Every structure is written in C-alpha cells, then in structure tokens.
C-alpha cells in the first residue's frame, strides 16, 4: 500500500512539487522518510542478532534436521539454481550478461531472509527453532558464499 502511495507522489507533479526537492514546502516529510529508510538496515541487523542469541541457548531441534536444512540450503539449492539459470539462458528468459547471471545465481546460495525470523516472532510460533536454524545457516554462510561465489564466477565466464 505504501509503495502505491510513493508511486503516486512520484508520478503526480503537484504532489511531487510539494513533497520532493530542496525547495518543497513539505521537504521535512521526505527527509523523515529518508532517515527512517537509512535506519532500517541497522535495526534489522539488531533483530537478527537478538534472534541468533536465542539460538545459542539451545533448542529441541534434532541435529539431523539442522544438517538437512543446511545441506538443502547450501548444496542442493545452489546446484538447482545453476540448472534453472542454465535453462533460462537456453530458452532466452535471461540475458547472457555474466553480471546478471551471477546475481541470479547468488540468490540461490544466500542464507535465509530475516523475514522468516520476523514472521516467527510476529506469530509467536517456533521462535527457538527458527533462531537455531538461522544461527547455523548464517554461521555457515561465510564458507558457503565463498565457495559458491567462486564457482558461479567460473560458471558465468
């Protein structure tokens, strides 16, 4: 909904003249939105840190489940991504630009999004389990991203 409001402000010239620009009468609204936007990343990082802290306290998630999630997330999913992107290039759905291919491939090797932990907190279900899984997937992300980034760079060349 807010995206539509922002789009309308940007498209409709009278709104744009009133809200956007150094000489706009309501320039403070634009500055406030900019400051909130800049604070979003540090806040998300703090939330992630709090979630990971809960994972350090332990949980009832079996080790085999954690290993399975990490294996699927960091081994099977990137391999599947290579196959999907290769066929997308073959069928003309993706340009043969190496940078865009690399970015698309990298999406398959990234750790799970913080939005999963946020939804878990919002609904109050599986907080400990989610934090343990986020802890291990983010801890192993450094190794996984290094290996897969190297492979993806080789693959797109």
């Amino acid at each position: 909904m807010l995206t539509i409001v922002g789009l309308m402000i940007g498209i409709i010239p009278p709104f744009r003249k009133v809200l956007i620009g150094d000489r706009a009468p309501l320039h403070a609204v634009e500055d406030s939105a900019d400051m909130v936007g800049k604070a979003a990343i540090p806040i998300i990082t703090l939330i992630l840190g709090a979630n990971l802290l809960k994972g350090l306290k332990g949980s009832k998630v079996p080790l085999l489940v954690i290993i399975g999630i990490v294996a699927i997330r960091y081994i099977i999913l990137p391999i599947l991504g290579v196959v999907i992107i290769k066929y997308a290039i073959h069928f003309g759905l993706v340009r043969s630009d190496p940078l865009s291919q690399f970015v698309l491939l990298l999406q398959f090797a990234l750790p799970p999004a913080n939005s999963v932990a946020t939804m878990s907190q919002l609904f109050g279900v599986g907080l400990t389990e989610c934090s343990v899984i986020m802890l291990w997937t983010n801890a192993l992300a450094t190794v996984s991203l290094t290996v897969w980034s190297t492979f993806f760079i080789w693959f797109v060349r």
Side-chain angles (χ1 to χ4, degrees), residues 11-150:
I11 290 177
I12 301 172
F15 289 149
R16 189 174 54 232
K17 288 179 183 176
V18 170
L19 291 169
I20 299 174
D22 291 336
R23 297 181 184 212
L26 298 176
H27 181 65
V29 174
E30 180 190 10
D31 285 345
S32 299
D34 185 50
M35 285 192 295
V36 169
K38 288 178 181 176
I41 300 298
I43 289 171
I44 289 172
T45 305
L46 288 172
I47 291 171
L48 176 64
N51 287 333
L52 296 181
L53 182 64
K54 291 178 186 174
L56 284 174
K57 296 178 182 175
S59 94
K60 298 173 185 164
V61 178
L63 183 61
L64 203 56
V65 171
I66 295 172
I67 292 171
I69 290 171
V70 168
I72 289 171
R73 185 71 196 171
Y74 290 135
I75 297 171
I76 295 172
L77 197 59
I79 292 170
L80 183 66
V82 169
V83 172
I84 290 171
I85 298 301
K86 186 171 183 169
Y87 278 109
I89 294 167
H90 177 71
F91 290 118
L93 300 172
V94 174
R95 295 183 296 150
S96 59
D97 175 36
L99 181 61
S100 62
Q101 291 175 21
F102 177 73
V103 170
L104 289 172
L105 287 167
L106 196 59
Q107 297 301 314
F108 288 95
L110 293 175
N114 290 338
S115 58
V116 175
T118 305
M119 286 187 290
S120 174
Q121 282 183 338
L122 183 65
F123 294 113
V125 178
L127 293 170
T128 309
E129 292 82 2
C130 182
S131 64
V132 167
I133 292 167
M134 293 288 285
L135 173 70
W136 284 106
T137 55
N138 281 292
L140 296 172
T142 55
V143 174
S144 173
L145 281 174
T146 303
V147 171
W148 283 111
S149 293
T150 305

